[in-house]
Amino acid sequence: MIATMWSGLAEDVAAELRNRSEADIVVLWYSDRFVKFVQLQDGIYADTISNEFLPAGRRLGPHEERRLADLGWFPPDPVNSRFNWWCNVPWPLRSVQGRGLARLLLRTLHDVHGVREPHRITYSAFNALTKDLLSMRAFSGLQRADWDPRTAL
């Protein structure tokens, strides 16, 4: 049952990824952990939290960092202002790329950040330019995070 929930959510997220506008930002939260994607003019930038931003008792261990690399994330690169684990996917997004990115985001939440059931995820979705909140069908069963970009940015 739980695997079915994750795969259904992955298909819904893949569909959402193909319908984004420039500067749309979506963050999937679980406690102090997150995955995020940002629609850029020429691609989608995604990242997930690194030890730079986690408290000492909650940092990623070597096993989690190895799993992030195995999933396809690039390690933090502070020299190039990338402080989290990250990846880029070119735009326009092909279906296979959308499904792959959706799986990457959700597998990271499950395998690395410990989310056992999708309904435990909260989300933020907004456009960074307009500050408008985004409606996301894929997340209709999830709680919207208690964070408003119109006042935070």
Side-chain angles (χ1 to χ4, degrees):
M1 175 69 171
I2 289 176
T4 303
M5 289 188 295
W6 282 106
S7 63
L9 182 57
E11 286 302 316
D12 292 344
V13 170
E16 292 284 0
L17 286 166
R18 291 188 297 272
N19 295 310
R20 297 295 92 220
S21 297
E22 187 173 352
D24 282 357
I25 299 175
V26 177
V27 186
L28 302 175
W29 297 93
Y30 177 69
S31 182
D32 57 355
R33 308 291 180 103
F34 70 84
V35 295
K36 172 181 70 192
F37 62 88
V38 180
Q39 178 65 59
L40 305 173
Q41 188 174 40
D42 60 350
I44 296 178
Y45 172 83
D47 69 4
T48 188
I49 196 162
S50 72
N51 286 336
E52 177 79 18
F53 304 103
L54 289 169
R58 298 271 301 141
R59 293 202 172 128
L60 301 166
H63 174 75
E64 288 89 4
E65 290 188 323
R66 200 168 27 259
R67 183 67 181 131
L68 287 168
D70 290 347
L71 286 170
W73 293 102
F74 293 102
D77 181 11
V79 171
N80 290 305
S81 299
R82 291 192 169 120
F83 298 96
N84 287 318
W85 289 82
W86 64 278
C87 73
N88 280 320
V89 180
W91 191 259
L93 196 65
R94 295 190 318 261
S95 293
V96 68
Q97 293 170 308
R99 286 191 303 272
L101 182 54
R103 281 193 304 272
L104 171 67
L105 296 167
L106 297 177
R107 298 268 325 255
T108 299
L109 286 169
H110 181 270
D111 296 0
V112 177
H113 298 314
V115 181
R116 295 294 161 237
E117 299 162 332
H119 72 272
R120 298 192 182 282
I121 300 168
T122 59
Y123 76 98
S124 302
F126 61 96
N127 184 282
L129 298 175
T130 66
K131 311 287 190 291
D132 291 337
L133 298 179
L134 304 176
S135 175
M136 307 281 294
R137 282 189 58 201
F139 307 134
S140 62
L142 304 179
Q143 181 177 347
R144 190 178 279 271
D146 199 16
W147 182 80
D148 188 339
R150 294 169 292 191
T151 58
L153 295 178

